[in-house]
Amino acid sequence: MSAESKENPIEYRLDQLRCHFTWELQIEDTEITDLENRVSDEIEFLDTKFNVPIHNLLAYVKHLKGQNKEALQSLNQAEDLFQTEHTGQSEVRRLVTWGNYAWLYYHTGRLEEAQIYLDKVESTCKKFASPSCYSVESPDMDCEEGWALLKCGGKNYERAKACFEKALEVEPENPEFNTGYAIVIYRLDGFSKASEMGEAFCLHSLKRAIELNPEDAYIKALLALKLQDIGQEAEGEKYIEEALRSTSSQTYVFRYAAKFYRRKGSVDKALHFLKMALRATPSSAVLYHQVGLCYKAQMIQIKKANNWKPRGRDKENIHRLVQMAICEFKKALELRPRFHMMYIDLAEMYAELGHHKEAEDIFQKLLSMGIFHDHLHQDIHFRYGQFQEFHRKSEVDAVIHYLKAINKEKLFTSNKSLSALEKLVLRKLRRNEADIESLSILGFVYKLKGEMGEALECYERALRLAAGSGNSEGRVP
């Protein structure tokens, strides 16, 4: 035993436990209230066979808020649920709850009770012949860790995926492991805007989860959205309708049905489902965001119907819808202050009103935030580029941010940025064929698109112009 472990033997043992206190869940202080709301909503409205993990997570969140009495109550509920719902299951899964008990009692200075739970863990580890006194290598434990990471947001998704993968290596037919894996793959797929191969893998994972959990309406709703993503909307609608006929997880099904019908163009139907979901879960930032997106969609529908030049009452309706969208986005941000996509949508609505300073301030705030996913960086720069091009009328700044949005892996936003950048520099070249910088950028665009002949032609023209004018500033990307 090391000198450190001799000095504080109980903390040394606690550190060896596998539970929420040792999993290094990445949760920022500003996210705790929203996480608590989401976890509480899931306990009340999400119908699942896997309830113990969510009560354990709620206990940890309560502890983070300094509400240790309530945290103990949540752990008691987790223990009670294990007794009633998990009869016949491995006792290994109780180690998570016991580990949380031990840590919670330790933090409240009740060391004797903490030791009781450490002893329980040690006894169970001996029963399973674990080489460690305080942890067991088990797919059930990997699954518990995977659920905890999955519920705590995007920064934890890759680790959650690894946990479910590890569990599935041992029990590939386990319904719970497949459900957790399908959900995390769907979330990550939404982040990365995956390739066709990735889309197919996500579909396979969702379908596999449904095979093993045929009554799970939540998974059916996710599959419907994924089918819609890849252009199979009619097939997706069958799954949405099937999920809506079920009484299982209705509040969550309403949420995903609303997203499906908004993207289909049935905005009134989407708003109907969102209002029903909000009656049950009025603290959901996601729902307020979705309502705002519906108002934004209605605004766009009016603009399209008027050939993007609305007048009179149509213009008044657009102004009203934009104000309503702003109101909903603000509600969502109050509940989830680091909802990055919300800031983009809010900035764009301010831009619609001509409030450029407010929009600029929001984009600058976003750019100064720590963003952990490449796709978010890309989307922010792409949409900031659009703001600069179409609202600020600054082609120079638009080019800068379209370039920053481009990723050579050609994710979805990269392709949108490439297209926007190509249109912009072609427009500039129609005004001035000798624009060396625009020629160089166009060459770069063609290069990324794989059109090497056109790229070479642009670069050669730019070099000839630079040599002819003696301009040393024309640089080839």
Side-chain angles (χ1 to χ4, degrees):
M1 187 178 283
S2 68
E4 184 182 350
S5 61
K6 288 178 181 175
E7 200 172 294
N8 195 343
I10 191 166
E11 192 163 320
Y12 172 74
R13 294 176 190 131
L14 289 166
D15 284 337
Q16 295 180 61
L17 298 171
R18 291 186 68 181
C19 65
H20 294 72
F21 288 84
T22 61
W23 283 332
E24 298 181 353
L25 305 173
Q26 294 188 53
I27 309 168
E28 296 190 22
D29 290 345
T30 55
E31 299 170 330
I32 291 174
T33 299
D34 177 63
L35 177 59
E36 181 184 21
N37 288 336
R38 288 189 287 116
V39 169
S40 298
D41 286 346
E42 287 196 15
I43 288 171
E44 187 169 357
F45 298 107
L46 184 62
D47 299 317
T48 174
K49 301 172 186 175
F50 323 122
N51 288 305
V52 173
I54 200 71
H55 283 279
N56 265 305
L57 177 57
L58 182 59
Y60 181 65
V61 173
K62 293 287 188 185
H63 164 72
L64 292 179
K65 294 184 71 180
Q67 299 172 353
N68 289 320
K69 182 179 178 181
E70 291 83 352
L72 280 172
Q73 290 171 355
S74 292
L75 291 179
N76 292 339
Q77 287 175 306
E79 271 285 78
D80 292 343
L81 282 168
F82 188 91
Q83 300 284 358
T84 57
E85 295 183 1
H86 296 271
T87 52
Q89 283 202 12
S90 171
E91 195 177 17
V92 165
R93 301 195 78 145
R94 297 182 78 179
L95 297 181
V96 176
T97 308
W98 291 346
N100 286 335
Y101 268 123
W103 268 105
L104 198 54
Y105 282 129
Y106 171 74
H107 280 299
T108 54
R110 297 162 66 176
L111 301 187
E112 287 185 11
E113 283 110 320
Q115 188 60 56
I116 288 169
Y117 282 97
L118 282 168
D119 292 343
K120 282 175 176 277
V121 172
E122 185 176 13
S123 175
T124 303
C125 289
K126 284 178 181 176
K127 190 188 299 185
F128 287 94
S130 172
S132 169
C133 293
Y134 298 101
S135 65
V136 172
E137 282 297 320
S138 160
D140 289 304
M141 293 293 282
D142 294 323
C143 177
E144 290 274 347
E145 185 175 356
W147 281 122
L149 290 160
L150 176 58
K151 302 299 181 186
C152 289
K155 290 184 288 247
N156 301 279
Y157 285 169
E158 287 290 352
R159 287 175 57 210
K161 175 173 173 274
C163 287
F164 287 118
E165 283 175 338
K166 189 178 176 185
L168 284 166
E169 285 174 8
V170 182
E171 295 184 31
E173 303 298 313
N174 185 293
E176 182 180 0
F177 301 172
N178 277 278
T179 294
Y181 186 64
I183 293 171
V184 78
I185 291 297
Y186 176 83
R187 302 287 178 220
L188 284 168
D189 192 54
F191 274 153
S192 63
K193 305 291 185 185
S195 62
E196 286 184 17
M197 187 178 296
E199 297 275 17
F201 183 68
C202 182
L203 276 178
H204 171 76
S205 300
L206 289 165
K207 287 179 177 178
R208 179 65 178 146
I210 289 171
E211 284 175 19
L212 296 168
N213 303 275
E215 303 304 314
D216 195 326
Y218 182 94
I219 295 291
K220 288 176 184 176
L222 295 186
L223 177 58
L225 288 170
K226 181 47 57 183
L227 287 164
Q228 188 182 46
D229 283 342
I230 62 171
Q232 297 180 27
E233 190 169 75
E235 181 70 14
E237 191 160 11
K238 292 177 186 176
Y239 282 99
I240 277 290
E241 289 171 347
E242 193 175 325
L244 285 166
R245 285 194 294 271
S246 170
T247 57
S248 171
S249 302
Q250 261 195 345
T251 298
Y252 290 88
V253 172
F254 290 156
R255 175 183 301 184
Y256 294 124
K259 185 174 182 180
F260 184 93
Y261 286 112
R262 172 178 58 81
R263 299 196 307 188
K264 188 185 176 186
S266 304
V267 182
D268 289 339
K269 196 169 186 177
L271 282 167
H272 167 72
F273 287 122
L274 286 169
K275 285 170 183 175
M276 288 197 292
L278 273 168
R279 280 198 290 270
T281 55
S283 298
S284 171
V286 170
L287 290 178
Y288 290 115
H289 183 213
Q290 291 294 318
V291 172
L293 290 176
C294 284
Y295 294 144
K296 179 181 176 182
Q298 288 178 326
M299 177 268 290
I300 291 170
Q301 286 176 347
I302 295 173
K303 279 191 166 188
K304 281 184 178 178
N306 286 270
N307 198 27
W308 303 99
K309 294 177 181 178
R311 295 179 181 177
R313 182 163 293 180
D314 286 326
K315 195 168 184 178
E316 290 173 9
N317 284 334
I318 284 174
H319 189 274
R320 177 179 55 84
L321 287 164
V322 170
Q323 293 280 17
M324 290 165 67
I326 287 172
C327 181
E328 299 300 322
F329 293 151
K330 282 184 172 180
K331 286 179 192 174
L333 283 170
E334 285 174 11
L335 292 162
R336 194 187 293 184
R338 289 187 65 81
F339 200 155
H340 298 108
M341 296 306 296
M342 188 82 60
Y343 284 101
I344 300 175
D345 292 319
L346 181 59
E348 289 180 342
M349 289 299 94
Y350 276 124
E352 280 292 329
L353 292 177
H355 297 175
H356 294 163
K357 184 182 185 304
E358 288 88 341
E360 179 71 37
D361 289 346
I362 292 168
F363 276 117
Q364 289 303 322
K365 181 175 182 177
L366 260 179
L367 291 168
S368 68
M369 282 183 178
I371 310 294
F372 56 93
H373 279 289
D374 283 345
H375 91 284
L376 275 174
H377 279 291
Q378 289 178 279
D379 209 33
I380 291 165
H381 283 292
F382 168 68
R383 288 165 79 171
Y384 189 38
Q386 289 199 305
F387 169 70
Q388 293 294 345
E389 181 178 0
F390 298 110
H391 294 281
R392 287 288 200 187
K393 307 299 181 183
S394 172
E395 292 181 340
V396 171
D397 288 324
V399 165
I400 290 169
H401 288 282
Y402 287 148
L403 285 168
K404 287 183 178 181
I406 291 168
N407 184 304
K408 292 178 184 179
E409 293 178 4
K410 288 196 173 184
L411 299 178
F412 179 65
T413 306
S414 293
N415 293 333
K416 290 195 297 183
S417 297
L418 273 178
S419 177
L421 187 58
E422 182 179 6
K423 289 176 183 175
L424 178 52
V425 294
L426 283 170
R427 190 165 66 245
K428 291 179 73 177
L429 285 166
R430 282 195 293 272
R431 295 199 303 262
N432 178 12
E433 292 182 354
D435 184 337
I436 296 170
E437 182 182 56
S438 292
L439 273 171
S440 300
I441 292 170
L442 186 59
F444 176 64
V445 170
Y446 285 142
K447 179 183 173 184
L448 288 184
K449 290 172 68 178
E451 299 171 8
M452 295 305 177
E454 290 86 346
L456 187 60
E457 183 181 341
C458 288
Y459 286 145
E460 287 174 345
R461 282 177 60 198
L463 287 169
R464 284 197 299 271
L465 285 166
S469 66
N471 187 347
S472 61
E473 292 178 1
R475 293 179 301 177
V476 178

